[in-house]
Amino acid sequence: MTTSAAAKPSLRLEDQRFLTGNGRYVDDQQRPGQLHARFLRADLAHAEIAGIDVSAAAEMPGVVGVWTGADLVADGIGPMPCSVVAATQEPIIIPPHHALAVDRVRYVGEPVVLIVADSAEAAADAAEAVTIDYGDLATVADPAAAEAEGAPQIWPQAPGNCAYRFAKGDAEAVAAAMETAAHVVELDLDNHRVSAFPLEPRAAVADYDADTGCFAMDLTGQGLHGIRADVAGPVFGLPADRFHLRADDVGGGFGLKNFLFAEWVCLLWAARRTGRPVRWLATTGEELAGSIHGRAVTSKARLALDAEGDFLALDVDMVADMGAYLSSGGPNASTNAASTAMGGVYRIPAIHMRSRGVFTNTAPVDAYRGAGKPEANFVIERLIDAAARRCGFDPVDLRRRNIVDTFPYPKALGAVLDCGRFRGNLDDAVALADRDGFEARRQEATRSGKLLGLGIACFLESSRGAPQEEVEVRFAADGKVELATGTESNGQGHETVFTRLAAERLGLPMDAFRFVQADTFATRTGAGHGGARTMHMGAGTLMLAMDAMLEKAVPLAARLLQADPETVTFADGRFSAGADDRSVSLLEVAAAARSSDASPETSEKGLDTAVFRRDVPFTFPGGCHIAEVEIDPDTGHVTLARYIAVDDYGTIVDPQLTEGQLHGGVVQGIGQALGERIAYDPDSGQLLSGSLMDYALPRAVDLPMFDVTFAGEATGANPLGAKGVGQAGCIAAPPAVINAVVDALSPLGVDHIQMPATPERVWQAIVARG
């Protein structure tokens, strides 16, 4: 494992305030004169709005205002944009997505009426008094049904309910390889709809200053500059600098909190309308029904192999359920993002992927941890497992035969893998899993009436997110060194790691620094969180900013030391020159840099330094995960007995936080593989999984202890040599677990099962085989 000099586990700086109740979450914040918002949401999946009567609600005690979509439109509030648009084959269709439904509702949970009152209770009571006259319309809640001839049309501008079509790769080369291949293995795969479900629900408090015409909002957000850009011009028609967004402490996000939501628009508008702060906290039901969902991609995939087992071509046709509207980044997961990881860690000469986005009467779908990379890896790992079973290959040998082991390696869809130890990860994981001893364990389980299975999955992540980032190193008036970064934490420990890296590089104590993030007035720009980009983009840019600042400081330090700049060195927080003991501290140089007498060149901003990186390459974390499961054939219940991971994240800066990130992702992947599923009634479009009684999050009792090994190669894509870890676990876990379930069922003749492998689904597969 490659580590930095600062790579050591330690208590997080954030934990002091979290454990003593001093965290600053949105729901902890109170404003004088604040109002409370409530949203009345659609209880039909598709209906015309014939009329809305708010008169009774508006007269109820404590109610300040009750408004509909027509009120927002009349006030010039525009629809929310889809800001991440892929390079599609034909123009992408972006229907108007208003913060409150106008004329028609298109999914259960869509906001229709905004109620603002002196208390949350008064707002809830008033919502019960609103009357909406709906004209029920035909509903389609499944992409296959939405594409069928004669299906209800959700948008007139989207014939066949098609939002976009995307294609990448060499179709002719793939077709030719399929024609001549000794083996072609085909699978239909369902990467079903799930919810990110962070521990802290969405929440916000919005203010408006009538004197300045400026808005302020504290929110549970992950990418505030992007959210501000989406809400300012497109929705309010105002400059971005009129909006001040902050996110102090955020309790998890996993992609969900990256985007502009209808609630944010309504709260800002209501604060301007009422002249008072307006707050809102989502309920569990609102999160499951009315936020965004993830995944929701079905694939028809084919893998061509020659007689010896060499991979020849991969053909993937993906259908992405977009829900009723295109969310901010909705099209990206099934297009550009998926293409960067398609084919995984294997040599595949020809790849052709196609995808199309389909509108349905369901909640919008957007990025969830991995956003396209889990879907792409699931395709290739399930195909390899099926190929081994159907064509007589050993699943480990088949992977080893085709795994990338020379670098740089250009993949068929354009990504260039710069480094990795993919073969080593596979071999190490197989050894740690004691695969040689598995058959004996299987026989022992059989004697106990259980079915035992071992599942293997390698993974490739393309880590970067947005290709630009900025970091500022600033010297504040109170003597603190501020580290202002455009990446944003929602629980990962950024404050600790950035501060430790700066302390190590600048030779100052940890308490000399102030970490600044998630504030659009305190940070100049930033692409936020998403894409496992913090170390690569944020911390990598921090290292460059510190180096640039020190380079700027050398001439002034030389002047203070009366020395030649060529003789000045920096170590342990001090600049030195010559053989004697002459030295000056960095903080002294920074103070002098503010003085026009000492440094007329830098006096305006002193040593404050900003570095903006653009067009940064991807990094490619990879690894191998192995799951061992036990199935009770009488009930279909799957027990995860063992879980092994050997992963390459390049240089490890903090092993403890890295392992924590991996654990979290693995658990979310296990949840999708074995239980989590957002389900809609296919006829009515009603949500069937609207509470935690129906949406099966994994619990501690469902999980084994994880056996994790880090063994990586540093990348040259950033000064740290780090690769991202944030998404890896949920990329690797679903195919590893499903491959294990299939392996357990293979003695019965089962070689494929769809996620989630619930007890009911597994039991039905067992019964179907007698």
Side-chain angles (χ1 to χ4, degrees):
M1 175 176 67
T2 304
T3 60
S4 79
K8 51 183 179 293
S10 65
L11 293 176
R12 301 191 310 172
L13 297 178
E14 299 92 329
D15 289 345
Q16 176 64 31
R17 65 177 182 274
F18 293 161
L19 296 175
T20 57
N22 292 309
R24 187 172 168 79
Y25 295 93
V26 170
D27 199 43
D28 297 323
Q29 302 179 37
Q30 305 296 320
R31 303 281 197 278
Q34 66 186 8
L35 300 171
H36 296 260
R38 178 82 173 194
F39 293 90
L40 181 60
R41 300 177 184 273
D43 56 6
L44 295 175
H46 201 197
E48 296 283 358
I49 301 175
I52 303 177
D53 185 354
V54 303
S55 57
E59 296 299 321
M60 293 183 69
V63 173
V64 175
V66 185
W67 298 287
T68 68
D71 296 310
L72 271 66
V73 170
D75 205 27
I77 300 301
M80 297 179 291
C82 173
S83 51
V84 180
V85 178
T88 53
Q89 288 179 298
E90 52 196 56
I92 190 168
I93 295 168
I94 306 176
H97 186 186
H98 292 281
L100 296 176
V102 176
D103 300 329
R104 181 181 292 195
V105 297
R106 290 177 171 86
Y107 68 93
V108 170
E110 182 173 4
V112 182
V113 179
L114 167 66
I115 303 100
V116 171
D118 289 333
S119 69
E121 294 77 13
D125 289 343
E128 297 289 335
V130 175
T131 302
I132 303 178
D133 182 12
Y134 285 122
D136 207 353
L137 297 171
T139 297
V140 60
D142 175 75
E147 290 189 300
E149 185 175 353
Q153 296 299 288
I154 298 172
W155 294 101
Q157 60 268 52
N161 293 312
C162 184
Y164 59 85
R165 295 181 184 274
F166 174 90
K168 193 171 186 179
D170 191 334
E172 292 184 1
V174 168
M178 294 286 172
E179 285 292 325
T180 60
H183 307 284
V184 176
V185 178
E186 181 173 328
L187 286 177
D188 290 329
L189 298 161
D190 182 12
N191 218 295
H192 60 281
R193 182 185 286 245
V194 291
S195 171
F197 207 88
L199 184 62
E200 181 194 28
R202 291 174 300 147
V205 184
D207 294 277
Y208 179 72
D209 187 330
D211 294 332
T212 63
C214 289
F215 297 84
M217 184 163 63
D218 287 270
L219 70 157
T220 55
Q222 293 181 241
L224 301 194
H225 285 277
I227 294 172
R228 182 178 71 167
D230 283 350
V231 76
V235 177
F236 279 84
L238 295 171
D241 61 10
R242 297 270 293 275
F243 294 81
H244 181 191
L245 306 187
R246 298 178 297 256
D248 290 335
D249 288 322
V250 179
F254 316 118
L256 181 149
K257 294 175 182 174
N258 273 331
F259 310 113
L260 175 63
F261 286 102
E263 291 85 357
W264 303 162
V265 174
C266 290
L267 294 174
L268 290 165
W269 180 81
R272 183 173 69 180
R273 181 74 172 237
T274 64
R276 294 167 64 181
V278 183
R279 65 185 299 114
W280 172 73
L281 174 68
T283 65
T284 297
E286 286 179 302
E287 291 298 74
L288 286 170
S291 60
I292 57 149
H293 298 147
R295 309 292 186 249
V297 172
T298 58
S299 302
K300 184 178 289 292
R302 296 184 297 157
L303 178 66
L305 309 86
D306 67 15
E308 287 72 37
D310 290 330
F311 298 161
L312 302 176
L314 173 65
D315 182 72
V316 182
D317 188 15
M318 307 171 73
V319 177
D321 185 351
M322 289 287 95
Y325 301 91
L326 293 188
S327 179
S328 301
N332 188 54
S334 61
T335 55
N336 296 332
S339 74
T340 63
M342 190 62 70
V345 298
Y346 306 102
R347 295 186 304 271
I348 306 177
I351 301 176
H352 188 231
M353 69 163 282
R354 303 166 302 288
S355 68
R356 56 193 185 275
V358 178
F359 290 116
T360 61
N361 290 122
T362 60
V365 173
D366 213 312
Y368 167 46
R369 201 170 191 166
K373 279 68 77 75
E375 294 90 321
N377 278 269
F378 191 75
V379 165
I380 188 62
E381 290 300 326
R382 284 295 298 123
L383 280 172
I384 294 173
D385 196 66
R389 297 189 186 283
R390 296 176 186 180
C391 306
F393 297 110
D394 178 85
V396 172
D397 291 344
L398 188 59
R399 287 176 168 85
R400 188 182 288 119
R401 182 181 186 90
N402 290 281
I403 209 160
V404 172
D405 57 4
T406 58
F407 300 93
Y409 178 79
K411 288 170 63 70
L413 294 186
V416 179
L417 311 184
D418 63 327
C419 65
R421 65 180 307 271
F422 305 137
R423 184 188 298 272
N425 294 334
L426 173 63
D427 291 341
D428 290 350
V430 168
L432 288 169
D434 184 25
R435 185 170 183 252
D436 291 341
F438 173 71
E439 194 55 41
R441 298 196 298 277
R442 171 175 263 169
Q443 293 302 321
E444 178 63 28
T446 300
R447 287 190 288 271
S448 301
K450 307 296 184 184
L451 301 172
L452 202 66
L454 192 73
I456 301 165
C458 297
F459 79 91
L460 177 74
E461 180 182 358
S462 50
S463 167
R464 183 196 65 189
Q468 71 281 333
E469 195 52 81
E470 182 176 75
V471 170
E472 263 190 292
V473 178
R474 304 191 296 236
F475 293 84
D478 63 359
K480 293 282 189 180
V481 182
E482 293 185 339
L483 310 174
T485 174
T487 57
E488 298 169 9
S489 173
N490 49 94
Q492 299 91 331
H494 296 185
E495 181 178 343
T496 298
V497 175
F498 278 68
T499 302
R500 184 188 300 152
L501 288 170
E504 179 190 48
R505 179 69 183 93
L506 301 182
L508 297 174
M510 297 273 280
D511 61 7
F513 298 92
R514 179 184 298 118
F515 183 63
V516 179
Q517 57 116 39
D519 185 323
T520 59
F521 278 15
T523 57
R524 306 193 322 175
T525 185
H529 174 72
R533 66 193 306 273
T534 297
M535 288 296 99
H536 175 30
M537 299 298 296
T541 308
L542 170 65
M543 302 305 288
L544 296 176
M546 290 190 293
D547 288 346
M549 179 272 295
L550 291 173
E551 184 178 349
K552 184 190 298 186
V554 165
L556 179 55
R559 189 180 307 168
L560 296 175
L561 294 170
Q562 298 182 341
D564 185 337
E566 297 295 327
T567 68
V568 174
T569 60
F570 179 77
D572 300 325
R574 303 189 70 84
F575 294 92
S576 303
D580 54 24
D581 292 333
R582 285 180 300 151
S583 69
V584 61
S585 74
L586 171 61
L587 296 182
E588 289 170 329
V589 175
R594 295 287 188 189
S595 167
S596 58
D597 294 333
S599 180
E601 303 93 339
T602 64
S603 58
E604 183 179 351
K605 290 192 175 182
L607 294 186
D608 293 359
T609 302
V611 167
F612 184 81
R613 292 166 77 206
R614 57 171 56 86
D615 299 326
V616 181
F618 284 99
T619 68
F620 295 96
C624 180
H625 290 208
I626 299 181
E628 191 167 311
V629 303
E630 181 183 85
I631 296 176
D632 182 345
D634 293 331
T635 65
H637 180 75
V638 178
T639 299
L640 187 58
R642 301 176 69 207
Y643 197 95
I644 294 95
V646 179
D647 290 347
D648 167 16
Y649 303 120
T651 301
I652 301 295
V653 176
D654 189 306
Q656 182 171 273
L657 294 181
T658 301
E659 187 165 353
Q661 281 290 290
L662 176 62
H663 286 183
V666 166
V667 171
Q668 287 181 307
I670 291 169
Q672 183 183 11
L674 295 180
E676 293 185 50
R677 177 172 174 256
I678 290 289
Y680 286 94
D681 180 84
D683 297 322
S684 67
Q686 289 294 326
L687 181 65
L688 303 179
S689 53
S691 77
L692 292 182
M693 293 295 289
D694 310 294
Y695 189 79
L697 289 174
R699 300 170 298 171
V701 71
D702 300 319
L703 306 169
M705 296 298 292
F706 299 130
D707 183 348
V708 174
T709 300
F710 298 139
E713 294 187 7
T715 177
N718 60 72
L720 290 168
K723 305 172 186 176
V725 64
Q727 302 174 153
C730 65
I731 297 174
V737 172
I738 293 300
N739 286 347
V741 171
V742 170
D743 187 55
L745 298 175
S746 62
L748 308 179
V750 175
D751 74 352
H752 184 46
I753 194 168
Q754 298 286 11
M755 292 193 292
T758 59
E760 178 187 18
R761 181 168 285 173
V762 172
W763 181 82
Q764 287 175 343
I766 293 170
V767 171
R769 299 310 188 280

